[in-house]
C-alpha cells in the first residue's frame, strides 16, 4: 500500500495549486464559522463515495473536495451555481483574449469585450 | 495544411493557455468569495504557503518527543491532547478536539477516517495520499492486520489492534513507543525518529538509525 515515510517531505504536498486552494477555502470557511465542520465532513464523504467509485486516486479526491465545496457554498446560500458559471465564462474569455505571458485580468463589469 | 487543420491548430494554441477545468473553477470560486468579502485573498495565499512549506509532521514529532521525555506532559497529553498541544502553540485554528492514544507492548493503535479524511492537519500537515484513498478508508477497520502487513508491520497475535475512526469533531494522534537505546537522546534527536506514519499508526517500530 505504501512504504513508511519519514518526516522529511518526499515531494510537493500538493500536486496542483488548485487542489491546495480548494482545501484552503473549505478550511477557512470552517475556521470563520461560515461552514459547519460536521456538515463539511458529511458532504465530502458523499462526494468521495461518488468520485472514488470511479477512480481511487488523489486527483479524484480533490475533485470530490471541489464538488463538496460547491455543495456547501450553495446550501449555505453563500454562492450559487449560476453565478459561478457566469464568472467562469468571463475568466475563460479573459484567458483566451490575453496574449500568452501577460497577466490574465477580468474586464470590469459592463465593459465591452 | 487545409483550413480545418489550421482552425484546429489555432483552437489548440488558444486553449493551451486555459487552465484545466478544475483549476478554472477554483479560480472562479476564489474570485467570487474574495469579492463578497467571505474570504481574504491573502489568507488563502498564506494558508497554501503554510501547508505547502511550514506545517508538517515535524510538529507532531516534537510533541511525541516531549511526551517521551516529560511524564507530566504525557499525562496532560493523554488527558486532553487539544489543550496540551495548544499550550505549546501548535494547535493552530484546528476545528474539533484531539485525542492521543498510546501504543504499548500489548496494544497497537491505528487511525482512519472512514467517512472522509478527518485528520489533525494543524499538527501533522496535510494527510498522506494513502490516507485519503477509499482503499485505506474502507479496509482499515475491516482488516487492520492485513493493511498493517502491507505497510510492513507484522503484528504478533497477542497484540491487540485498536482502530480509531476520526470525525470532524474528534481526531487522533498515536503516541508510538520510544525505541530502546535512546536514553541519552535530546528532544530534537528523538523528534527525528518519529515518522508521520507512526503517528497515524501504520508504522509500529521506530528506527534509531536515522538520528
Amino acid at each position: 500500500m505504501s512504504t513508511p515515510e519519514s518526516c522529511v517531505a518526499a515531494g510537493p504536498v500538493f500536486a496542483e495549486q488548485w487542489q491546495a486552494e480548494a482545501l484552503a477555502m473549505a478550511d477557512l470557511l470552517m475556521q470563520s464559522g461560515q461552514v459547519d465542520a460536521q456538515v463539511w465532513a458529511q458532504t465530502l464523504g458523499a462526494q468521495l463515495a461518488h468520485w472514488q467509485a470511479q477512480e481511487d486516486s488523489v486527483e479524484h479526491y480533490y475533485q470530490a473536495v471541489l464538488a463538496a465545496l460547491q455543495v456547501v457554498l450553495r446550501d449555505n446560500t453563500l454562492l450559487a451555481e449560476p453565478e459561478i458559471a457566469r464568472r467562469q465564462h468571463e475568466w475563460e474569455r479573459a484567458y483566451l483574449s490575453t496574449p500568452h505571458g501577460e497577466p490574465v485580468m477580468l474586464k470590469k463589469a459592463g465593459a465591452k469585450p | 495544411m487545409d483550413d480545418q487543420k489550421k482552425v484546429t491548430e489555432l483552437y489548440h494554441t488558444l486553449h493551451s493557455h486555459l487552465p484545466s477545468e478544475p483549476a478554472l473553477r477554483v479560480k472562479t470560486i476564489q474570485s467570487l468569495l474574495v469579492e463578497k468579502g467571505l474570504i481574504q485573498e491573502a489568507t488563502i495565499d498564506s494558508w497554501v504557503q503554510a501547508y505547502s512549506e511550514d506545517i508538517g509532521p515535524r510538529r507532531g514529532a516534537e510533541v511525541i518527543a516531549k511526551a517521551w521525555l516529560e511524564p507530566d506532559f504525557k499525562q496532560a497529553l493523554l488527558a486532553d491532547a487539544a489543550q496540551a498541544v495548544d499550550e505549546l502553540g501548535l494547535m493552530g485554528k484546528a476545528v474539533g478536539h484531539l485525542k492521543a492514544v498510546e501504543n504499548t507492548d500489548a496494544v497497537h493503535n491505528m487511525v482512519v477516517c472512514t467517512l472522509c479524511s478527518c485528520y489533525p492537519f494543524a499538527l501533522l500537515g496535510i494527510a498522506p495520499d494513502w490516507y485519503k484513498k477509499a482503499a485505506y478508508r474502507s479496509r482499515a477497520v475491516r482488516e487492520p492486520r492485513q493493511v498493517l502487513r502491507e505497510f510492513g508491520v507484522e503484528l504478533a497475535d497477542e497484540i491487540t489492534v485498536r482502530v480509531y475512526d476520526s470525525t470532524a469533531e474528534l481526531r487522533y494522534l498515536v503516541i508510538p513507543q520510544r525505541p530502546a537505546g535512546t536514553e541519552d537522546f535530546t528532544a530534537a534527536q528523538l523528534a527525528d525518529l518519529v515518522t508521520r506514519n507512526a503517528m497515524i499508526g501504520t508504522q509500529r517500530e521506530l528506527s534509531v538509525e536515522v538520528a
Side-chain angles (χ1 to χ4, degrees):
Chain A
M1 191 167 275
S2 172
T3 51
E5 293 163 65
S6 83
C7 286
V8 182
V13 175
F14 298 101
E16 295 186 55
Q17 182 74 7
W18 70 264
Q19 300 175 346
E21 288 167 353
L23 207 55
M25 286 190 275
D27 189 41
L28 292 169
L29 289 167
M30 277 184 274
Q31 283 182 23
S32 61
Q34 296 177 90
V35 169
D36 179 77
Q38 281 191 58
V39 170
W40 169 255
Q42 291 292 342
T43 311
L44 178 57
Q47 291 297 331
L48 284 173
H50 170 74
W51 283 92
Q52 292 186 331
Q54 298 168 31
E55 185 185 295
D56 193 10
S57 66
V58 174
E59 165 78 18
H60 275 217
Y61 171 82
Y62 282 106
Q63 289 279 9
V65 169
L66 176 53
L69 178 64
Q70 291 172 81
V71 171
V72 295
L73 287 172
R74 184 196 64 203
D75 291 353
N76 287 276
T77 61
L78 298 172
L79 201 56
E81 174 56 27
E83 196 175 357
I84 299 176
R86 219 169 24 242
R87 173 61 60 91
Q88 184 164 338
H89 182 65
E90 289 168 13
W91 273 115
E92 272 171 31
R93 282 198 313 188
Y95 271 98
L96 295 177
S97 61
T98 304
H100 196 47
E102 287 183 22
V104 179
M105 316 273 263
L106 280 187
K107 292 197 168 56
K108 289 266 188 302
K112 288 257 160 73
Chain B
M1 195 188 297
D2 61 31
D3 283 353
Q4 186 55 44
K5 242 183 178 168
K6 275 186 201 158
V7 168
T8 309
E9 210 160 76
L10 181 64
Y11 180 89
H12 282 302
T13 309
L14 286 172
H15 283 74
S16 67
H17 301 166
L18 259 188
S20 68
E21 168 64 26
L24 200 56
R25 187 138 279 244
V26 165
K27 190 176 182 69
T28 300
I29 294 170
Q30 193 173 330
S31 75
L32 285 166
L33 292 181
V34 168
E35 207 170 276
K36 289 170 187 286
L38 298 172
I39 294 184
Q40 305 292 312
E41 191 160 7
T43 318
I44 299 175
D45 292 345
S46 45
W47 190 103
V48 171
Q49 185 175 350
Y51 281 101
S52 299
E53 291 167 23
D54 307 327
I55 304 176
R58 180 74 194 183
R59 288 183 165 205
E62 285 170 5
V63 171
I64 300 299
K66 189 173 170 67
W68 285 341
L69 288 170
E70 300 172 26
D72 286 351
F73 178 74
K74 186 159 99 179
Q75 285 314 311
L77 189 66
L78 287 168
D80 185 342
Q83 195 187 331
V85 169
D86 198 32
E87 281 168 12
L88 298 178
L90 292 174
M91 200 60 188
K93 289 179 184 158
V95 183
H97 293 288
L98 179 71
K99 184 170 173 56
V101 289
E102 187 182 14
N103 284 352
T104 65
D105 288 343
V107 174
H108 182 78
N109 300 289
M110 182 176 166
V111 183
V112 65
C113 172
T114 56
L115 174 63
C116 50
S117 52
C118 297
Y119 185 76
F121 55 83
L123 189 60
L124 300 185
I126 298 301
D129 290 347
W130 54 261
Y131 188 87
K132 302 173 190 133
K133 288 191 180 172
Y136 179 76
R137 296 193 292 106
S138 61
R139 294 178 57 221
V141 173
R142 209 170 59 229
E143 42 179 5
R145 284 175 190 272
Q146 178 56 31
V147 171
L148 283 170
R149 204 165 291 132
E150 289 165 31
F151 276 94
V153 180
E154 288 289 345
L155 276 190
D157 289 345
E158 58 270 25
I159 297 175
T160 304
V161 184
R162 292 196 186 133
V163 182
Y164 291 86
D165 194 0
S166 306
T167 66
E169 299 203 303
L170 184 57
R171 289 126 202 259
Y172 296 91
L173 172 73
V174 175
I175 306 177
Q177 287 181 289
R178 180 174 174 171
T182 58
E183 291 72 18
D184 301 331
F185 280 35
T186 64
Q189 285 173 317
L190 287 171
D192 285 343
L193 308 178
V194 183
T195 65
R196 177 176 63 187
N197 285 14
M199 292 183 280
I200 308 174
T202 52
Q203 184 186 351
R204 183 166 169 85
E205 307 285 340
L206 295 174
S207 165
V208 289
E209 283 167 23
V210 291

Coordinates of all heavy atoms in Angstrom, one line a residue, chain B residues 88-149:
Chain B
L88 N 1.4 24.4 23.7 CA 2.7 24.5 23.0 C 2.6 25.5 21.9 O 3.6 25.7 21.1 CB 3.1 23.2 22.5 CG 3.4 22.1 23.6 CD1 3.7 20.8 22.9 CD2 4.4 22.5 24.5
G89 N 1.4 26.0 21.6 CA 1.2 26.9 20.5 C 1.1 26.2 19.1 O 1.4 26.8 18.1
L90 N 0.8 24.9 19.2 CA 0.9 24.1 17.9 C -0.5 23.7 17.4 O -0.6 23.1 16.3 CB 1.7 22.8 18.1 CG 3.2 23.0 18.4 CD1 3.8 21.6 18.7 CD2 3.9 23.6 17.1
M91 N -1.5 24.1 18.1 CA -2.9 23.6 17.7 C -3.4 24.4 16.5 O -4.2 24.0 15.8 CB -3.8 23.7 18.9 CG -5.1 22.8 18.8 SD -4.7 21.0 18.6 CE -6.4 20.4 18.2
G92 N -2.9 25.6 16.4 CA -3.4 26.5 15.3 C -4.9 26.8 15.5 O -5.4 26.9 16.6
K93 N -5.6 26.9 14.4 CA -7.0 27.2 14.5 C -7.8 25.9 14.2 O -8.8 25.9 13.5 CB -7.4 28.3 13.5 CG -6.9 29.6 13.9 CD -7.3 30.7 12.8 CE -6.7 32.0 13.2 NZ -6.6 32.9 12.0
A94 N -7.3 24.8 14.6 CA -7.9 23.5 14.3 C -9.3 23.4 14.8 O -9.6 23.9 15.9 CB -7.1 22.4 14.9
V95 N -10.2 22.8 14.0 CA -11.6 22.7 14.4 C -11.7 21.3 15.1 O -11.1 20.3 14.6 CB -12.4 22.6 13.1 CG1 -13.9 22.5 13.5 CG2 -12.2 23.9 12.3
G96 N -12.4 21.3 16.2 CA -12.6 20.0 16.8 C -11.5 19.6 17.9 O -10.6 20.4 18.1
H97 N -11.7 18.4 18.4 CA -10.8 18.0 19.5 C -9.8 17.0 19.0 O -9.9 16.5 17.9 CB -11.7 17.4 20.6 CG -12.5 18.5 21.3 ND1 -12.0 19.4 22.1 CD2 -13.8 18.7 21.2 CE1 -12.9 20.2 22.5 NE2 -14.1 19.8 22.0
L98 N -8.9 16.8 19.9 CA -7.8 15.9 19.6 C -7.6 14.9 20.7 O -7.6 15.3 21.9 CB -6.5 16.7 19.4 CG -5.2 15.9 19.0 CD1 -5.3 15.3 17.6 CD2 -4.0 16.8 19.2
K99 N -7.4 13.6 20.4 CA -7.2 12.6 21.5 C -5.9 11.9 21.2 O -5.7 11.4 20.0 CB -8.4 11.6 21.5 CG -8.3 10.6 22.6 CD -9.5 9.8 22.8 CE -9.4 8.7 23.8 NZ -8.9 9.2 25.1
A100 N -5.1 11.7 22.2 CA -3.8 11.0 22.0 C -4.0 9.6 22.5 O -4.6 9.4 23.6 CB -2.7 11.7 22.8
V101 N -3.6 8.6 21.7 CA -3.7 7.2 22.1 C -2.3 6.6 22.1 O -1.5 6.8 21.2 CB -4.7 6.4 21.3 CG1 -6.1 6.8 21.5 CG2 -4.4 6.6 19.8
E102 N -2.0 5.8 23.2 CA -0.6 5.4 23.4 C -0.4 3.9 23.0 O -1.1 3.1 23.5 CB -0.2 5.6 24.8 CG 1.3 5.4 25.1 CD 1.6 5.6 26.6 OE1 0.7 5.6 27.4 OE2 2.8 5.6 26.9
N103 N 0.6 3.7 22.2 CA 1.0 2.3 21.9 C 1.7 1.7 23.1 O 2.5 2.4 23.8 CB 1.9 2.2 20.7 CG 1.2 2.4 19.4 OD1 0.0 2.4 19.3 ND2 2.0 2.5 18.3
T104 N 1.4 0.4 23.4 CA 2.1 -0.3 24.5 C 2.6 -1.6 23.9 O 2.3 -2.0 22.8 CB 1.2 -0.6 25.7 OG1 0.2 -1.5 25.2 CG2 0.6 0.7 26.2
D105 N 3.3 -2.4 24.8 CA 3.7 -3.8 24.3 C 2.5 -4.6 23.9 O 2.6 -5.5 23.0 CB 4.4 -4.5 25.4 CG 5.8 -3.9 25.7 OD1 6.3 -3.2 24.7 OD2 6.4 -4.1 26.7
A106 N 1.3 -4.3 24.5 CA 0.1 -5.2 24.3 C -0.9 -4.6 23.3 O -1.8 -5.2 22.8 CB -0.6 -5.4 25.6
V107 N -0.7 -3.3 23.0 CA -1.7 -2.6 22.2 C -1.1 -1.8 21.0 O -0.1 -1.1 21.2 CB -2.6 -1.6 23.0 CG1 -3.5 -0.8 22.1 CG2 -3.4 -2.4 24.1
H108 N -1.7 -1.9 19.8 CA -1.3 -1.1 18.7 C -2.5 -0.2 18.3 O -3.5 -0.8 18.1 CB -0.7 -1.9 17.6 CG -0.2 -1.0 16.4 ND1 1.0 -0.3 16.5 CD2 -0.8 -0.6 15.3 CE1 1.1 0.4 15.4 NE2 0.0 0.3 14.6
N109 N -2.3 1.0 18.2 CA -3.3 1.9 17.7 C -3.1 2.4 16.3 O -2.0 2.6 15.9 CB -3.4 3.2 18.6 CG -3.6 2.8 20.1 OD1 -4.7 2.4 20.5 ND2 -2.6 3.0 20.9
M110 N -4.3 2.6 15.6 CA -4.2 2.9 14.2 C -5.4 3.8 13.9 O -6.5 3.7 14.5 CB -4.3 1.6 13.4 CG -4.3 1.7 12.0 SD -4.3 0.0 11.4 CE -4.7 0.3 9.7
V111 N -5.2 4.9 13.1 CA -6.2 5.9 12.9 C -6.7 5.9 11.4 O -5.9 5.7 10.5 CB -5.7 7.3 13.3 CG1 -6.7 8.3 13.1 CG2 -5.1 7.3 14.7
V112 N -7.9 6.1 11.2 CA -8.5 6.2 9.9 C -9.7 7.2 10.0 O -10.1 7.6 11.1 CB -9.1 4.8 9.5 CG1 -10.2 4.3 10.3 CG2 -9.5 4.8 8.0
C113 N -10.1 7.7 8.8 CA -11.4 8.4 8.8 C -12.2 7.7 7.7 O -11.9 7.7 6.5 CB -11.2 9.9 8.4 SG -12.8 10.7 8.1
T114 N -13.2 6.9 8.2 CA -13.9 6.1 7.2 C -14.9 6.9 6.4 O -15.2 6.6 5.3 CB -14.8 5.0 8.0 OG1 -15.6 5.6 8.9 CG2 -13.9 4.0 8.6
L115 N -15.3 8.1 6.9 CA -16.3 8.9 6.2 C -15.6 9.7 5.1 O -16.0 9.7 4.0 CB -17.0 9.8 7.2 CG -17.9 10.9 6.5 CD1 -19.1 10.2 5.8 CD2 -18.5 11.8 7.6
C116 N -14.5 10.5 5.5 CA -13.9 11.3 4.5 C -12.4 11.3 4.7 O -11.7 10.4 4.3 CB -14.5 12.7 4.5 SG -14.6 13.5 6.1
S117 N -11.8 12.4 5.3 CA -10.4 12.4 5.5 C -10.0 13.2 6.7 O -9.0 14.0 6.7 CB -9.7 12.9 4.3 OG -10.3 14.1 3.9
C118 N -10.8 13.2 7.8 CA -10.6 14.0 9.0 C -9.2 13.6 9.5 O -8.9 12.4 9.6 CB -11.6 13.7 10.1 SG -13.3 14.2 9.5
Y119 N -8.4 14.6 9.9 CA -7.0 14.3 10.2 C -6.5 15.6 11.0 O -7.0 16.7 10.7 CB -6.3 14.3 8.9 CG -4.8 13.9 8.9 CD1 -4.4 12.6 9.1 CD2 -3.8 14.9 8.6 CE1 -3.1 12.3 9.0 CE2 -2.5 14.5 8.6 CZ -2.1 13.2 8.8 OH -0.8 12.9 8.7
P120 N -5.6 15.4 12.0 CA -5.2 16.5 12.7 C -4.1 17.4 11.9 O -3.0 17.4 12.3 CB -4.5 15.9 14.0 CG -4.1 14.6 13.5 CD -5.0 14.1 12.5
F121 N -4.6 18.0 10.9 CA -3.6 18.6 10.0 C -2.9 19.8 10.5 O -1.8 20.1 10.0 CB -4.1 18.7 8.5 CG -5.3 19.5 8.3 CD1 -5.3 20.8 8.2 CD2 -6.5 18.8 8.2 CE1 -6.5 21.5 8.0 CE2 -7.7 19.5 7.9 CZ -7.7 20.9 7.8
A122 N -3.5 20.5 11.5 CA -2.7 21.6 12.1 C -1.5 21.1 12.8 O -0.5 21.8 13.0 CB -3.6 22.4 13.1
L123 N -1.5 19.8 13.2 CA -0.4 19.2 13.9 C 0.5 18.3 13.0 O 1.7 18.3 13.2 CB -1.0 18.3 15.0 CG 0.0 17.8 16.1 CD1 0.7 18.9 16.8 CD2 -0.8 16.9 17.1
L124 N -0.1 17.7 12.0 CA 0.7 16.7 11.2 C 0.8 17.2 9.7 O 1.4 16.5 8.9 CB 0.0 15.4 11.2 CG -0.1 14.7 12.6 CD1 -0.6 13.3 12.4 CD2 1.3 14.6 13.3
G125 N 0.3 18.3 9.4 CA 0.3 18.8 8.0 C -0.8 18.1 7.2 O -1.7 17.4 7.8
I126 N -0.7 18.2 5.9 CA -1.7 17.6 5.0 C -1.6 16.1 5.1 O -0.5 15.5 5.1 CB -1.6 18.1 3.6 CG1 -1.8 19.6 3.5 CG2 -2.5 17.4 2.6 CD1 -3.1 20.1 4.0
A127 N -2.7 15.4 5.1 CA -2.7 13.9 5.2 C -2.0 13.3 4.0 O -2.1 13.8 2.9 CB -4.1 13.4 5.3
P128 N -1.3 12.2 4.2 CA -0.7 11.5 3.1 C -1.7 11.0 2.1 O -2.9 10.8 2.5 CB 0.1 10.3 3.7 CG -0.6 10.1 5.1 CD -1.1 11.4 5.5
D129 N -1.3 10.8 0.9 CA -2.3 10.4 -0.2 C -3.0 9.1 0.2 O -4.2 9.0 0.0 CB -1.5 10.2 -1.5 CG -1.0 11.5 -2.1 OD1 -1.5 12.6 -1.6 OD2 -0.2 11.5 -3.0
W130 N -2.3 8.1 0.7 CA -3.0 6.8 1.0 C -4.1 7.0 2.0 O -5.1 6.2 2.0 CB -2.0 5.7 1.4 CG -1.1 6.1 2.6 CD1 0.2 6.6 2.5 CD2 -1.3 6.1 4.0 NE1 0.7 6.8 3.7 CE2 -0.2 6.5 4.7 CE3 -2.5 5.7 4.7 CZ2 -0.2 6.6 6.1 CZ3 -2.4 5.8 6.1 CH2 -1.3 6.2 6.8
Y131 N -3.9 7.9 2.9 CA -4.9 8.1 4.0 C -6.3 8.6 3.4 O -7.3 8.4 3.9 CB -4.4 9.2 5.0 CG -5.3 9.4 6.2 CD1 -5.1 8.6 7.4 CD2 -6.2 10.4 6.3 CE1 -5.8 8.8 8.5 CE2 -7.0 10.6 7.4 CZ -6.8 9.8 8.5 OH -7.5 10.0 9.7
K132 N -6.2 9.3 2.2 CA -7.4 9.9 1.6 C -8.1 8.9 0.7 O -9.2 9.1 0.2 CB -7.0 11.1 0.8 CG -6.3 12.2 1.5 CD -5.8 13.2 0.6 CE -4.9 14.2 1.2 NZ -3.7 14.5 0.4
K133 N -7.4 7.8 0.4 CA -8.0 6.8 -0.6 C -9.0 5.9 0.0 O -8.9 5.5 1.1 CB -6.8 6.1 -1.3 CG -6.0 6.9 -2.2 CD -5.0 6.1 -3.0 CE -4.2 7.0 -3.9 NZ -3.2 6.2 -4.6
A134 N -9.9 5.5 -0.9 CA -11.0 4.6 -0.5 C -10.5 3.3 0.0 O -11.0 2.7 1.0 CB -12.0 4.4 -1.6
A135 N -9.4 2.9 -0.6 CA -8.8 1.5 -0.2 C -8.5 1.5 1.3 O -8.9 0.6 2.0 CB -7.6 1.3 -1.1
Y136 N -7.8 2.5 1.8 CA -7.4 2.5 3.2 C -8.6 2.8 4.0 O -8.8 2.1 5.1 CB -6.3 3.6 3.4 CG -5.9 3.7 4.9 CD1 -5.1 2.8 5.4 CD2 -6.4 4.8 5.7 CE1 -4.7 2.9 6.8 CE2 -6.0 4.9 7.0 CZ -5.2 3.9 7.6 OH -4.8 4.0 8.9
R137 N -9.4 3.7 3.6 CA -10.6 4.1 4.5 C -11.5 2.9 4.7 O -12.1 2.8 5.7 CB -11.3 5.3 3.8 CG -10.4 6.6 3.8 CD -11.1 7.8 3.5 NE -11.6 7.9 2.1 CZ -12.9 7.7 1.8 NH1 -13.8 7.5 2.7 NH2 -13.2 7.8 0.6
S138 N -11.7 2.1 3.7 CA -12.7 1.1 3.8 C -12.1 -0.2 4.4 O -12.8 -1.0 5.0 CB -13.2 0.7 2.4 OG -12.2 0.3 1.5
R139 N -10.8 -0.4 4.3 CA -10.2 -1.6 4.8 C -9.6 -1.5 6.2 O -9.4 -2.6 6.9 CB -9.1 -2.1 3.8 CG -9.6 -2.5 2.4 CD -8.5 -2.9 1.5 NE -7.7 -4.0 2.0 CZ -6.4 -4.0 1.9 NH1 -5.7 -3.1 1.4 NH2 -5.8 -5.1 2.5
A140 N -9.2 -0.3 6.7 CA -8.5 -0.2 7.9 C -9.3 -0.8 9.1 O -8.7 -1.4 10.0 CB -8.2 1.3 8.2
V141 N -10.6 -0.6 9.0 CA -11.5 -1.1 10.1 C -11.7 -2.6 9.9 O -11.7 -3.4 10.9 CB -12.8 -0.4 10.2 CG1 -13.8 -1.0 11.2 CG2 -12.6 1.1 10.5
R142 N -12.0 -3.0 8.7 CA -12.4 -4.4 8.4 C -11.2 -5.3 8.5 O -11.4 -6.4 9.1 CB -12.9 -4.4 6.9 CG -13.9 -5.4 6.6 CD -14.5 -5.2 5.3 NE -13.5 -5.3 4.2 CZ -13.4 -4.4 3.2 NH1 -14.2 -3.3 3.2 NH2 -12.5 -4.5 2.3
E143 N -10.0 -5.0 8.0 CA -8.9 -5.9 8.1 C -7.6 -5.2 8.5 O -6.7 -5.1 7.7 CB -8.8 -6.7 6.8 CG -8.9 -5.8 5.5 CD -8.8 -6.6 4.3 OE1 -8.6 -7.8 4.3 OE2 -8.8 -5.9 3.2
P144 N -7.6 -4.6 9.7 CA -6.4 -3.8 10.1 C -5.1 -4.5 10.0 O -4.1 -4.0 9.6 CB -6.7 -3.4 11.5 CG -7.8 -4.3 12.0 CD -8.5 -4.7 10.8
R145 N -5.1 -5.8 10.4 CA -3.8 -6.5 10.4 C -3.2 -6.7 9.0 O -2.0 -6.6 8.8 CB -4.0 -7.9 11.1 CG -4.1 -7.8 12.6 CD -4.3 -9.1 13.2 NE -4.6 -8.9 14.6 CZ -3.7 -8.9 15.6 NH1 -2.5 -9.1 15.3 NH2 -4.0 -8.6 16.8
Q146 N -4.2 -7.0 8.1 CA -3.7 -7.1 6.7 C -3.2 -5.8 6.1 O -2.2 -5.7 5.4 CB -4.9 -7.6 5.8 CG -4.6 -7.8 4.3 CD -3.4 -8.7 4.1 OE1 -3.1 -9.6 4.8 NE2 -2.6 -8.4 3.0
V147 N -3.9 -4.7 6.4 CA -3.5 -3.4 6.0 C -2.1 -3.1 6.6 O -1.2 -2.6 5.9 CB -4.5 -2.3 6.4 CG1 -3.9 -0.9 6.1 CG2 -5.8 -2.5 5.6
L148 N -1.9 -3.4 7.9 CA -0.7 -3.1 8.5 C 0.5 -3.9 7.9 O 1.6 -3.4 7.7 CB -0.7 -3.4 10.0 CG -1.5 -2.4 10.9 CD1 -1.7 -2.9 12.3 CD2 -0.6 -1.1 10.9
R149 N 0.1 -5.2 7.5 CA 1.1 -6.0 6.9 C 1.6 -5.3 5.6 O 2.8 -5.4 5.2 CB 0.5 -7.4 6.6 CG 1.5 -8.5 6.4 CD 0.8 -9.9 6.5 NE 0.2 -10.1 7.8 CZ -1.0 -10.6 8.0 NH1 -1.8 -10.8 7.1 NH2 -1.4 -10.8 9.3

